[in-house]
Amino acid sequence: MATNQNSSAMLMLLEPTVARDWVKESGGTASDGARRAMETEAGELLQALRHGLEQGGDVDALDAPAWASLRDALEGLSRSRVAQGQTAADTSAFVLGLKRPLFNGLQQKLASDPQATMSAMWAITLLVDRMAQWTVSSYQRTREEVINRQQQELLELSTPVIKLWEGVLAVPMIGTLDSARTQLVMETLLQRIVEAGAQLAIIDITGVPTVDTLVAQHLLKTVSAIRLMGAECIISGIRPQIAQTIVHLGIDLQGIASKANLADALAMALQQTGFRIERAAA
């Protein structure tokens, strides 16, 4: 019965002026455009809140089916704030700003019934706090999704497969090699070998700062996969320091062609594929 009474009391408070008072409470020094956007967000949240209350939603269980539209609205708010570059704290503070307009409405409408006022105030506090918590969780999930997507895009941009010559592909490696990046390089390179019908692939490690046992193992796996596709591989960019490291680590690169720079690797690749380049007479 108390839950029904609190729901009825909150429904009574959700007047059109609440959205304006909410934005006034949370807007601060925001521009006119930002205030209009906040009013739209506030209106959508209030509409979803009204729907949940009408469905008999319990303020202690925001994950109940009755609050589905409210959860969707909160997640939409979080995605919007992530895209705008705002923080989780700012987003949560905006939701918490709903308390004051509702409390002001309680004082006006239920002033003659202190017990009902306290009960409704507690229900409002629980519900709005849970809304703010849900918003923070949604914000963090959305932010993690954005970061993961950006990392994937950076990986793809940092491992381009370039066609150097007919039947010759090259992959310039820049930065540290790890399992995830090696897997992406392997998948991209093998796909391009199939599409281009390439006979030779050059893996240039000039931009790789260090080569340890793990990096060498990743390179060997990539070379093995290339050979299984019927192509050969040349590793270029092996600097003196990297050569010494490979020898000291006891890494066996026998059977894998290697060159000091990409130009030498390309010359070797052209020779192996039957091309010969000569300087034109002056």
Side-chain angles (χ1 to χ4, degrees):
M1 180 65 69
T3 300
N4 292 334
Q5 291 177 348
N6 291 332
S7 297
S8 299
M10 282 189 278
L11 280 170
M12 179 178 59
L13 299 173
L14 298 181
E15 298 178 346
T17 57
V18 171
R20 294 193 297 272
D21 293 342
W22 185 1
V23 172
K24 183 178 179 181
E25 175 68 24
S26 305
T29 58
S31 63
D32 292 340
R35 283 180 174 274
R36 286 193 294 270
M38 293 172 67
E39 286 180 1
T40 300
E41 293 170 341
E44 292 174 352
L45 287 171
L46 289 174
Q47 183 178 358
L49 179 59
R50 174 180 292 278
H51 178 74
L53 292 171
E54 290 173 346
Q55 296 295 316
D58 187 353
V59 297
D60 290 324
L62 196 61
D63 55 350
W67 298 115
S69 59
L70 179 59
R71 294 194 300 270
D72 291 341
L74 292 172
E75 290 171 3
L77 172 68
S78 299
R79 288 192 296 270
S80 174
R81 294 303 175 93
V82 169
Q84 295 172 24
Q86 298 191 28
T87 65
D90 292 337
T91 308
S92 176
F94 171 71
V95 175
L96 292 172
L98 175 60
K99 286 184 180 181
R100 185 181 293 274
L102 295 182
F103 287 166
N104 290 339
L106 276 177
Q107 292 177 350
Q108 296 175 9
K109 296 182 180 299
L110 298 178
S112 60
D113 191 345
Q115 185 175 358
T117 300
M118 289 301 298
S119 178
M121 185 176 294
W122 178 246
I124 290 171
T125 301
L126 285 178
L127 181 56
V128 176
D129 285 348
R130 280 167 171 73
M131 289 170 59
Q133 291 171 359
W134 192 278
T135 304
V136 171
S137 299
S138 300
Y139 183 99
Q140 292 173 342
R141 287 195 303 271
T142 304
R143 186 62 180 161
E144 289 172 0
E145 291 172 359
V146 170
I147 292 173
N148 291 335
R149 186 173 66 252
Q150 290 175 341
Q151 289 177 339
Q152 183 67 23
E153 291 172 352
L154 286 174
L155 278 177
E156 294 173 357
L157 290 173
S158 64
T159 53
V161 179
I162 305 168
K163 183 178 180 179
L164 294 181
W165 202 267
E166 187 67 31
V168 180
L169 301 178
V171 181
M173 305 293 292
I174 300 174
T176 304
L177 291 179
D178 55 20
S179 299
R181 190 173 181 200
T182 304
Q183 182 66 27
L184 179 62
V185 170
M186 189 184 303
E187 292 175 357
T188 306
L189 181 54
L190 295 180
Q191 183 64 33
R192 286 297 305 276
I193 287 174
V194 173
E195 293 173 355
Q199 306 167 13
L200 243 161
I202 300 173
I203 300 178
D204 184 69
I205 61 172
T206 303
V208 177
T210 58
V211 173
D212 54 17
T213 304
L214 186 60
V215 171
Q217 289 176 351
H218 291 326
L219 290 174
L220 290 175
K221 289 179 180 178
T222 304
V223 171
S224 299
I226 292 171
R227 286 177 170 173
L228 287 173
M229 297 297 297
E232 284 298 325
C233 182
I234 301 173
I235 297 178
S236 66
I238 298 183
R239 303 183 299 278
Q241 300 88 340
I242 290 181
Q244 293 178 23
T245 301
I246 290 174
V247 171
H248 291 157
L249 292 174
I251 299 169
D252 185 11
L253 294 181
Q254 292 184 3
I256 301 176
S258 61
K259 289 295 181 180
N261 54 61
L262 183 57
D264 292 342
L266 177 58
M268 182 179 184
L270 292 176
Q271 182 181 8
Q272 291 184 8
T273 52
F275 289 96
R276 184 175 67 179
I277 299 178
E278 296 180 353
R279 185 186 298 273

